[in-house]
Amino acid sequence: MKESNTLLKAEHVTMQFGGVMAVNDFNLCVSEREIVALIGPNGAGKTTAFNCITGIYKPTGGRVLFDGQVISGKSPDQITRLGIARTFQNIRLFHHLSVFDNVLIAKHMRAKQTVFSATLRLNRAEERRMREETAALLCEQGLYSHRDEMASSLPYGLQRRLEIARALATEPKLLLLDEPAAGMNPQETQELTDFIKVIRDRYHMAIFMIEHHMDLVMQISDRIYVLDFGCCIASGSAAEIQHNPRVIEAYLGVEDENA
Ligand SMILES: Nc1ncnc2c1ncn2[C@@H]1O[C@H](COP(=O)(O)OP(=O)(O)OP(=O)(O)O)[C@@H](O)[C@H]1O
Ligand SMILES: [Mg+2]
């Protein structure tokens, strides 16, 4: 049974690699239209938690539910189809394709999911609609003037934006962002912060993000989870997390080179 407006739920999720307990008994809940952050020191298990949610890893313990359905054990493609999109800590784009085609391909993937055959050719009206939607997404991200450039030729901050545009093209209900502000300067980080709020409000979407930039996290998160050595050591509002002695000791109190 699905709880009222719960979109994503992790129940006792555990991921062990040999002797390394990367994620240990992690419980999490993300509701519709919520912005939730996952923070913690390097190596705490944040990306591994994302990989368990998106089907890259099958958790060695526990389970993940999305929209009331168990998704742990499903493939990344199946999970994307159910409505979870993500970006990666190390940007993953089709580097030798144009900016436009990077987003259009994601649109095609979405279209093939809603049509019955992956080999079915899309009719002209459908193709035109997808091209218009791609152009709209690029405009929204300030990328339209770069549409014909190769993805790899974009500056780093714009590549990150392109990755978000591509994730949005699959029309997810939940967007996972793994360090979206990594490598961004303070102005780009502030623009991204504003944009994440816009995404949530415009698309009525939930956002779950890993981030080391605490300004960004504290400004926009409805709730925050803190991982340390694979274990969740705290969860709560920005104010609660900022004043939690355990979090200060494990993470916030130390100078972080990524912050
Ligand atoms: N495929 C794997 N095989 C073995 N160990 C792994 C694997 N993936 C991650 N780990 C280990 O799991 C732990 C958590 O790594 P993870 O990448 O999830 O951390 P993180 O919190 O995302 O860190 P960062 O902030 O540096 O990105 C680390 O000790 C890492 O070495
Ligand atoms: Mg990581």
Side-chain angles (χ1 to χ4, degrees):
M1 272 289 286
K2 189 187 160 192
E3 286 162 35
S4 54
N5 60 350
T6 301
L7 199 53
L8 178 74
K9 202 165 188 210
E11 293 178 345
H12 307 290
V13 166
T14 298
M15 187 72 218
Q16 192 168 1
F17 300 107
V20 177
M21 199 66 121
V23 176
N24 192 354
D25 196 21
F26 185 37
N27 293 296
L28 158 98
C29 192
V30 179
S31 298
E32 286 164 9
R33 301 185 66 160
E34 225 186 353
I35 298 179
V36 178
L38 181 60
I39 65 171
N42 295 121
K46 305 178 297 295
T47 298
T48 304
F50 265 31
N51 287 340
C52 289
I53 293 165
T54 53
I56 292 176
Y57 299 140
K58 183 173 193 280
T60 48
R63 61 181 197 163
V64 181
L65 293 99
F66 181 66
D67 238 353
Q69 184 182 350
V70 176
I71 59 165
S72 28
K74 290 191 186 294
S75 70
D77 271 2
Q78 288 173 319
I79 290 172
T80 306
R81 224 169 289 153
L82 288 170
I84 301 182
R86 73 174 287 183
T87 64
F88 291 86
Q89 187 166 358
N90 303 309
I91 300 174
R92 291 192 194 177
L93 291 166
F94 298 115
H95 293 286
H96 299 296
L97 291 183
S98 71
V99 166
F100 193 90
D101 284 347
N102 263 276
V103 178
L104 187 63
I105 283 174
K107 278 270 163 214
H108 272 269
M109 281 167 64
R110 175 73 193 168
K112 282 178 182 164
Q113 292 151 17
T114 51
V115 179
F116 34 87
S117 162
T119 56
L120 193 74
R121 286 182 56 201
L122 301 161
N123 65 39
R124 277 208 204 132
E126 179 92 348
E127 181 69 30
R128 191 173 342 111
R129 182 185 59 77
M130 288 196 299
R131 289 187 162 271
E132 283 166 8
E133 286 174 4
T134 297
L137 274 169
L138 291 177
C139 283
E140 203 174 72
Q141 291 284 353
L143 285 168
Y144 190 70
S145 60
H146 299 278
R147 65 192 176 281
D148 295 326
E149 293 169 25
M150 247 196 323
S152 58
S153 71
L154 290 180
Y156 194 71
L158 293 186
Q159 289 195 24
R160 287 237 168 252
R161 280 170 174 252
L162 177 56
E163 226 197 353
I164 294 176
R166 202 179 54 173
L168 291 175
T170 66
E171 297 172 27
K173 292 179 200 161
L174 171 68
L175 178 62
L176 266 54
L177 302 170
D178 194 345
E179 299 198 28
M184 287 188 175
N185 64 37
Q187 192 197 327
E188 288 171 329
T189 304
Q190 188 54 51
E191 284 169 10
L192 178 75
T193 308
D194 296 338
F195 185 66
I196 291 172
K197 275 187 278 192
V198 169
I199 297 174
R200 185 258 303 268
D201 296 336
R202 188 172 299 161
Y203 298 100
H204 310 301
M205 162 182 311
I207 292 159
F208 183 34
M209 62 173 179
I210 296 171
E211 211 10 275
H212 285 290
H213 285 71
M214 284 306 110
D215 285 355
L216 190 164
V217 168
M218 298 303 169
Q219 251 186 71
I220 60 170
S221 304
D222 296 311
R223 282 182 311 113
I224 301 167
Y225 288 83
V226 189
L227 276 185
D228 188 30
F229 292 108
C231 297
C232 183
I233 58 167
S235 66
S237 67
E240 285 164 350
I241 293 300
Q242 274 170 312
H243 296 109
N244 183 310
R246 216 167 149 201
V247 179
I248 293 168
E249 190 191 343
Y251 184 53
L252 294 180
V254 295
E255 194 77 18
D256 191 312
E257 59 186 7
N258 290 321

